């Protein structure tokens, strides 16, 4: 099964609008900026989205800084003690948490219940607390390791039961972790992202770990909070761009808000955070790692941080509200008809409940972006059918978290049924998804796109990084018929195979307005004036959603796709591609990873064969017949 899945590495419209509205929550009663709905789709000229173009928040809303604040920030950065800047003529205040934070993002109740039962539950993996090695000398499953060192489990625990029932569990785990990590050091626990998330969790959920029966835990944890904040003061600025640096600065600001004499630290952290957000986020609000899971984490971070501001009674920089408003619409554009997210850049298919918890906590009311040009995920809608199309280069090396070679892949859903998907789950490998197939889940073959000679369109490297491959993607989107009465058409091409094979891959998708037909063309165009001689192997993969029953037609040039809800779609090869003798349609094994990290055996349709190095064209049609 694995060999066939991962080759060698060489809308009713109104109904859809109603679904969009259902996932949005009212804006809180404050003077926050709103995000306007995207303009109607119009004809466009070819464009090459540049995913590394970062948003400068100062272009959106310039942070207000008085001369005195600027001096304090500069002095703190140069090492002047906090006490000397905040209260130079007073005795230092005792170390304590100044306020109780409310309104943070709720955690996973099931994971919290598992903690009270004595084990961590992350991505389907159970890890008994009693046998857990907190020191890190024994390698943990990546999800467990992240939960343990980031203390994200505190939110899960808080969501599972009244505080009195949760405090003993929180104290037990916190004491064990502190015993293993008495001071800042090296290792996974002292990555800037982990330290920032941990410090924020300690402060947001302080009542769980600072109000219990253990008289020795409170002073130890307060000391750890202070030490971690001091460590992040030094390390946050030097960490690489992306979510990790944002998490580090968020921890610094939270400590500045909720610990005594924190104003200099807060001012210092605010400047760093705004710069880091500008480096992480593109013009349309999509983060440059192009990972929806990281987009969710960024929204959650800002929501928890804004809750810290509210608890401390301090007015936050308006830029933080603006950024959160920018981050939500691109994320909503990746929802399928079941309310969950598509499988992109290594994540599993995040379910609707988790997404709704996050959006409800933000209080943001907005619609999905119709076109996330710079983020690169285009959304086509017709009737109850939704299509997500990756029409941008992969993330650059400095931004990639679990980079995947998914250029020109697409997903399609019909109401709650996912018809065409990507495998997903590479970032969850090491739990229920075997670590040995993590690299394969990042490959082009694990996505619903065309693959030449079993090679990735962009080289997949270790540790989530990507190598050479796709640099340019040209996109043209236009309406079909008067005012889009007949549907929408999108055409995109990438250069990932030019250097190796002298061919450009162009994909055209046309969705009827009523959502009953998706017509596709995969075209190989010679990059040079004269194409190379000979033939080359190719495969066009269509990974099928969980529960889709597929059967080949008698002539071998089509297949029926029956959903669990009884809806029937027909897949058919069209035109010259159907008549070519060296091209075949087959059904093969596949897998799909859900949002909890559980792999499900599924199937895939594969059009494969040989094509001329001088180019080729392969047309296909997905039609709803019942």
């Amino acid at each position: 099964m694995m060999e066939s899945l991962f080759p060698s590495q060489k809308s009713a419209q109104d109904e859809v609008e109603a679904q969009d509205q259902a996932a949005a929550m009212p804006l809180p009663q404050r003077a926050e900026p709103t995000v306007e709905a995207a303009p109607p789709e119009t004809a466009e000229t070819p464009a090459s989205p540049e995913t590394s173009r970062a948003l400068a928040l100062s272009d959106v809303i310039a942070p207000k800084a008085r001369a005195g604040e600027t001096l304090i920030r500069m002095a703190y950065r140069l090492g002047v003690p906090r006490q000397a800047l905040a209260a130079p003529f007073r005795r230092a205040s005792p170390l304590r948490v100044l306020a109780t934070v409310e309104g943070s993002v709720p955690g996973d109740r099931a994971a919290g219940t598992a903690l009270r039962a004595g084990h961590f539950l992350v991505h389907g993996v159970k890890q008994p607390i009693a046998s857990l090695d907190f020191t890190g000398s024994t390698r943990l499953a990546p999800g467990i390791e992240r939960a343990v060192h980031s203390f994200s489990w505190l939110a899960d625990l808080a969501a599972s039961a009244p505080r009195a029932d949760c405090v003993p569990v929180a104290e037990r785990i916190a004491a064990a972790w502190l015993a293993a990590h008495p001071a800042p050091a090296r290792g996974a626990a002292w990555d800037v992202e982990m330290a920032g998330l941990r410090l924020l969790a300690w402060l947001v959920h302080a009542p769980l770990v600072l109000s219990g029966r253990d008289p020795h835990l409170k002073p130890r944890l307060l000391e750890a909070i202070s030490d971690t904040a001091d460590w992040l003061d030094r390390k946050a600025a030097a960490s690489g761009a992306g979510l990790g640096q944002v998490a580090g600065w968020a921890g610094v600001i939270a400590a500045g808000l909720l610990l005594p004499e924190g104003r200099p630290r807060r001012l210092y952290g605010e400047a760093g955070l705004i710069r880091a957000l500008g480096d992480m986020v593109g013009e349309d609000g999509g983060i440059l790692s192009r990972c929806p899971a990281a987009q969710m984490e960024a929204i959650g971070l800002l929501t928890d941080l804004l809750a810290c501001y509210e608890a401390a009674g301090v007015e936050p920089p308006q830029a933080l509200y603006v950024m959160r408003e920018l981050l939500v619409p691109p994320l909503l554009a990746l929802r399928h008809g079941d309310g969950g997210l598509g499988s992109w850049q290594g994540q599993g298919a995040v379910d609707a409940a988790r997404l709704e918890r996050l959006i409800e906590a933000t209080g943001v009311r907005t619609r999905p972006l119709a076109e996330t040009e710079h983020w690169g995920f285009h959304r086509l809608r017709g009737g109850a059918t939704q299509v997500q199309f990756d029409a941008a280069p992969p993330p650059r090396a400095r931004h990639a978290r679990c980079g995947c070679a998914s250029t020109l892949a697409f997903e399609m859903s019909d109401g709650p049924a996912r018809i065409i998907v990507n495998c997903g789950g590479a970032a969850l490998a090491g739990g229920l998804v075997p670590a040995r197939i993590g690299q394969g889940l990042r490959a082009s073959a694990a996505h619903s796109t065309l693959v030449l000679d079993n090679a990735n369109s962009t080289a997949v490297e270790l540790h989530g990084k990507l190598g050479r491959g796709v640099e340019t993607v040209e996109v043209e989107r236009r309406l079909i018929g008067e005012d889009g009465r007949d549907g929408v058409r999108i055409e995109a091409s990438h250069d990932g195979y030019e250097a190796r094979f002298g061919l450009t891959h162009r994909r055209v998708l046309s969705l009827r307005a009523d959502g009953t037909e998706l017509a596709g063309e995969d075209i190989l165009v010679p990059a040079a004036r004269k194409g190379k001689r000979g033939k080359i192997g190719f495969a066009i993969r269509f990974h099928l959603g969980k529960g889709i029953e597929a059967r080949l037609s008698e002539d071998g040039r089509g297949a029926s796709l029956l959903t669990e809800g009884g809806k029937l779609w027909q897949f058919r090869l069209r035109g010259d591609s159907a008549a070519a003798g060296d091209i075949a349609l087959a059904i093969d094994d596949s897998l799909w990873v859900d949002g909890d990290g559980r792999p499900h055996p599924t199937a895939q349709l594969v059009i494969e064969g040989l094509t001329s190095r001088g180019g080729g064209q392969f047309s296909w049609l997905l039609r709803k017949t019942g």
Side-chain angles (χ1 to χ4, degrees):
M1 170 179 169
M2 290 303 132
E3 286 80 0
S4 61
L5 177 58
F6 306 124
S8 60
Q9 294 298 315
K10 260 188 69 178
S11 110
Q13 192 71 20
D14 293 340
E15 179 183 346
V16 176
E17 293 292 341
Q19 292 171 355
D20 292 344
Q21 293 286 3
M25 298 299 299
L27 281 169
Q29 299 301 314
R30 60 167 68 96
E32 295 184 331
T34 58
V35 179
E36 298 181 357
E41 296 170 333
T42 57
E44 299 177 354
T45 57
S48 176
E50 176 52 70
T51 60
S52 63
R53 169 67 170 95
L55 172 69
L57 270 183
S58 58
D59 294 339
V60 180
I61 178 168
K64 297 179 180 179
R66 301 173 183 174
E69 293 178 345
T70 302
L71 290 174
I72 291 173
R73 185 182 296 128
M74 182 182 301
Y76 190 72
R77 186 174 66 248
L78 294 174
V80 178
R82 262 189 338 278
Q83 174 67 22
L85 294 171
F89 304 110
R90 293 203 308 263
R91 181 177 300 176
S93 301
L95 185 60
R96 59 193 178 95
V97 177
L98 300 175
T100 299
V101 179
E102 297 179 355
S104 60
V105 178
D108 184 342
R109 185 176 181 179
T113 301
L115 284 167
R116 291 168 50 228
H119 56 264
F120 285 92
L121 177 61
V122 183
H123 300 157
V125 177
K126 290 184 178 181
Q127 172 66 56
I129 299 171
S131 61
L132 184 63
D133 178 11
F134 288 90
T135 64
S137 58
T138 302
R139 185 67 177 175
L140 301 173
I144 298 288
E145 181 178 77
R146 182 176 179 84
V148 167
H149 294 317
S150 71
F151 274 66
S152 62
W153 55 267
L154 280 173
D156 301 333
L157 188 61
S160 69
R163 183 187 300 171
D165 296 336
C166 299
V167 166
V169 179
E171 287 186 332
R172 174 191 175 192
I173 302 174
W177 190 91
L178 289 171
H181 303 277
R186 296 182 178 181
W190 293 100
D191 173 80
V192 167
E193 183 173 346
M194 291 299 100
L197 293 173
R198 181 168 65 247
L199 180 57
L200 186 60
W202 281 340
L203 293 168
V204 168
H205 300 286
L208 285 182
V209 288
L210 292 177
S211 60
R213 303 172 183 174
D214 188 346
H216 304 292
L217 178 61
K218 183 174 180 178
R220 289 169 59 202
L221 187 55
L222 285 172
E223 182 181 0
I225 288 173
S226 178
D227 288 347
T228 303
D230 291 340
W231 185 85
L232 283 171
D233 284 343
R234 302 189 301 272
K235 300 293 186 178
S239 62
L243 185 63
Q245 189 176 60
V246 168
W249 286 120
V252 169
I253 296 172
L257 289 165
L258 298 174
L259 297 181
E261 285 87 41
R263 183 167 176 257
R265 171 178 277 152
R266 172 177 64 82
L267 294 173
Y268 170 65
E270 287 172 349
L273 178 61
I274 290 173
R275 286 194 303 270
L277 287 169
D279 288 339
M280 182 183 74
V281 181
E283 290 184 353
D284 50 18
I287 67 173
L288 300 181
S289 69
R290 305 193 65 228
C291 178
Q295 187 98 358
M296 291 182 68
E297 289 190 47
I299 295 170
L301 267 174
L302 290 177
T303 300
D304 285 352
L305 184 58
L306 289 168
C308 292
Y309 275 99
E310 185 172 352
V314 176
E315 183 67 25
Q318 194 70 8
L320 301 186
Y321 286 127
V322 171
M323 177 53 70
R324 188 173 65 172
E325 298 285 345
L326 284 172
L327 287 168
V328 173
L331 183 67
L332 296 181
L334 290 184
R335 286 183 310 152
H336 278 295
D338 60 4
L341 298 179
S343 302
W344 299 104
Q345 291 301 313
Q347 73 166 41
V350 175
D351 63 26
R354 180 181 165 194
L355 181 60
E356 287 170 3
R357 286 199 305 268
L358 176 66
I359 300 304
E360 184 176 357
T362 66
V364 173
R365 180 181 176 84
T366 185
R367 292 183 178 183
L369 282 188
E371 299 174 37
T372 51
E373 179 183 346
H374 294 275
W375 204 25
F377 296 110
H378 289 254
R379 183 178 187 233
L380 285 65
R381 295 179 299 164
T385 302
Q386 299 194 43
V387 175
Q388 299 171 10
F389 185 39
D390 182 357
R396 304 301 184 191
R398 64 193 294 257
H399 296 293
R401 293 176 66 84
C402 187
C404 297
S406 60
T407 310
L408 301 196
F410 79 99
E411 293 197 340
M412 186 187 83
S413 61
D414 177 12
R418 300 192 184 209
I419 310 297
I420 307 298
V421 298
N422 300 310
C423 295
L428 311 181
L432 294 181
V433 176
R436 67 180 182 275
I437 70 170
Q439 287 288 93
L441 290 171
R442 298 169 57 205
S444 295
H447 298 81
S448 294
T449 188
L450 176 145
V451 180
L452 278 181
D453 199 30
N454 290 337
N456 294 318
S457 57
T458 298
V460 172
E461 299 181 346
L462 297 176
H463 309 300
K465 300 303 180 183
L466 295 170
R468 300 180 64 179
V470 177
E471 293 291 336
T472 302
V473 176
E474 295 185 345
V475 185
E476 181 181 6
R477 178 175 178 144
R478 63 182 177 84
L479 301 177
I480 303 173
E482 184 178 353
D483 298 326
R485 187 172 302 169
D486 297 330
V488 61
R489 179 184 188 273
I490 187 168
E491 177 179 339
S493 63
H494 75 73
D495 60 355
Y497 291 122
E498 282 189 10
R500 287 168 287 178
F501 307 118
L503 293 169
T504 296
H505 175 208
R506 178 184 302 159
R507 170 165 272 185
V508 183
L509 299 177
S510 301
L511 180 66
R512 279 186 53 164
D514 61 4
T516 59
E517 281 189 6
L518 177 68
E521 287 183 280
D522 286 288
I523 307 166
L524 293 171
V525 182
R529 182 173 299 178
K530 291 184 179 180
K532 298 181 179 180
R533 294 182 179 180
K535 292 192 174 184
I536 188 172
F538 77 95
I540 308 174
R541 300 181 182 273
F542 303 84
H543 296 275
L544 304 180
K546 177 187 174 185
I548 300 295
E549 181 181 337
R551 291 185 179 181
L552 283 178
S553 61
E554 293 183 0
D555 62 3
R557 296 174 180 171
S560 63
L561 308 176
L562 183 64
T563 72
E564 290 180 320
K567 296 179 180 179
L568 181 65
W569 285 77
Q570 297 288 343
F571 179 91
R572 193 74 187 169
L573 290 171
R574 304 173 70 192
D576 295 340
S577 59
D582 54 357
I583 296 175
L585 175 66
I587 298 177
D588 207 342
D589 293 333
S590 182
L591 65 82
W592 176 77
V593 182
D594 65 23
D596 293 325
R598 294 187 294 260
H600 300 269
T602 58
Q604 59 176 312
L605 298 178
V606 186
I607 305 170
E608 59 184 339
L610 297 173
T611 187
S612 168
R613 286 180 176 265
Q617 179 174 345
F618 316 100
S619 302
W620 46 268
L621 177 69
L622 275 162
R623 174 181 292 168
K624 187 175 182 178
T625 58

